[in-house]
Amino acid sequence: MKIKTLLSAAILAASSFSTAAFADEVTLRGVSAFNLGTTFSREFEAFVDWINENGKGVVQIQLVGGPEAVPPFELGNAVQSGVVDIANNTTAFYPNLVPTGDAIHLAENTVQEQRANGCYDLIDRIHQEQMNVKFLARAGDGMGFHLYLTKPIDGPDLSGLTIRTTPVYQAMFSALGANLVRTAPGEVYSALERGAIDGYGWPAQGVLDLGWDEQTKYRVDPSFYNVDVNLLVNLDVWNGLTDEQRAKLEEGAAWMEELNAKNAEINAAEYAKQAEAGIETITLNDADADKWLETAQTEGWAAVDAVDAALSKELQACLTK
Ligand code: 173
């Protein structure tokens, strides 16, 4: 009930999984873990537009809002319980519900390859069983994560630094000696401003549209992992849809996943904009970069192994080359 009270009563009343306009048309309420209009809501909003354009008379999505509607770390529970019908969320924000979710960003193959080799079905099954959601689609593929800093480093040693984290960076950064503080994105700017943190983990894209460049001096290269931002549909809602409605949502999902191919180009443009905004690049030398990436993969998988060794093995087999 806590989350429900955060959602505007008017919005809930207006469209509680309603069949108002057409007998067969259903409207799903969607919430994003990221501010609307910013990088990690971009694909979701494009998907919503696509569905509302191509799903007339079949299925529509009403975008309720972002983190102001449901706090990011509570969105997993909200879509699990059906307070929200469809969520745009990353596994790092719902580790309590799908503790092996970290495996997804350790993937070395593309979403399309994962659909072809059965890995998508495995990830979907885990989400259905553990979280009561249909794993509809994945955005963010083709984009890595970085460490951003307010002070320079000269190698992969983070001891003495306090770094903002999520489960994505936890295993790697702590193995490299950092002190870690877990926060939602909304708290990063003020933590930097106050000097409470010396840096933060974040993807290649999105620093500028959050204004964090004002408080950021360095980006450490190379990037590691692959971003996952996922469309999750409450499973009871999903199972209550008609075949036609589900097919339309899956068509939109495939369309959205094609957008991942643009990430290489967008990453390059974003790096150029970061440089223009005064963010310097610290490029680790070859040996240090090897250690950086080796630590990322080894510690990342060790953390998934520790949660569920059997599932970790199954995921590793279809996510790595
Ligand atoms: O750093 C984060 O908040 C995080 O884990 C994440 C994951 C996917 C997209 C953006 C941020």
Side-chain angles (χ1 to χ4, degrees):
M1 287 318 285
K2 192 171 158 222
I3 293 166
K4 246 183 192 153
T5 57
L6 292 164
L7 289 168
S8 122
I11 289 162
L12 283 173
S15 71
S16 263
F17 193 51
S18 78
T19 52
F22 301 83
D24 297 328
E25 186 183 274
V26 68
T27 298
L28 307 181
R29 286 159 304 147
V31 174
S32 178
F34 301 92
N35 289 330
L36 298 188
T38 66
T39 302
F40 297 102
S41 288
R42 181 180 63 214
E43 272 76 9
F44 178 47
E45 289 175 59
F47 168 83
V48 169
D49 289 345
W50 190 95
I51 291 291
N52 290 346
E53 182 60 34
N54 295 281
K56 288 194 173 73
V58 180
V59 56
Q60 297 285 284
I61 298 173
Q62 184 200 4
L63 212 42
V64 175
E68 76 292 348
V70 180
F73 296 165
E74 290 175 34
L75 183 57
N77 294 93
V79 66
Q80 177 185 48
S81 66
V83 168
V84 165
D85 299 319
I86 179 166
N88 178 59
N89 203 357
T90 176
T91 47
F93 296 173
Y94 56 87
N96 51 322
L97 301 172
V98 181
T100 55
D102 272 336
I104 299 178
H105 60 250
L106 305 178
E108 293 167 8
N109 50 9
T110 65
V111 167
Q112 285 78 14
E113 286 165 338
Q114 290 159 28
R115 285 194 182 262
N117 76 3
C119 214
Y120 164 80
D121 292 327
L122 175 61
I123 291 166
D124 182 28
R125 179 164 63 78
I126 295 169
H127 277 76
Q128 294 201 23
E129 287 174 2
Q130 299 185 351
M131 192 178 172
N132 193 47
V133 293
K134 168 77 185 170
F135 188 98
L136 184 64
R138 158 140 177 238
D141 195 20
M143 183 193 328
F145 295 88
H146 289 273
L147 172 62
Y148 296 87
L149 292 168
T150 59
K151 7 177 122 140
I153 51 170
D154 55 16
D157 176 6
L158 307 180
S159 51
L161 296 174
T162 300
I163 305 293
R164 173 268 175 186
T165 191
T166 67
V168 171
Y169 328 93
Q170 186 89 26
M172 172 187 177
F173 290 175
S174 81
L176 295 172
N179 304 316
L180 298 173
V181 192
R182 186 177 169 214
T183 82
E187 292 152 50
V188 172
Y189 188 96
S190 68
L192 287 165
E193 204 177 26
R194 291 196 316 272
I197 53 173
D198 303 309
Y200 56 91
W202 192 256
Q205 299 175 28
V207 167
L208 291 133
D209 65 15
L210 295 162
W212 298 352
D213 52 299
E214 290 169 18
Q215 304 289 339
T216 306
K217 293 217 172 69
Y218 306 96
R219 185 190 70 244
V220 181
D221 281 12
S223 72
F224 47 90
Y225 303 150
N226 250 302
V227 171
D228 71 282
V229 178
N230 311 312
L231 299 193
L232 308 174
V233 183
N234 173 273
L235 192 57
D236 304 302
V237 168
W238 179 258
N239 288 335
L241 297 174
T242 63
D243 288 348
E244 189 190 14
Q245 288 162 342
R246 281 195 291 259
K248 189 54 74 182
L249 290 168
E250 285 181 322
E251 206 188 318
W255 175 84
M256 189 191 83
E257 287 182 348
E258 292 299 327
L259 299 178
N260 290 330
K262 295 188 178 164
N263 274 328
E265 206 179 302
I266 302 174
N267 293 340
E270 188 86 5
Y271 292 148
K273 282 190 243 162
Q274 288 182 7
E276 270 169 47
I279 299 177
E280 285 176 42
T281 308
I282 297 174
T283 305
L284 298 176
N285 67 33
D286 287 354
D288 287 348
D290 282 351
K291 181 173 182 202
W292 189 245
L293 298 178
E294 174 64 25
T295 307
Q297 285 299 315
T298 308
E299 298 297 330
W301 280 112
V304 182
D305 282 350
V307 172
D308 186 330
L311 209 45
S312 177
K313 202 163 169 232
E314 244 187 294
L315 285 160
Q316 198 159 356
C318 63
L319 290 173
T320 57
K321 290 181 175 162

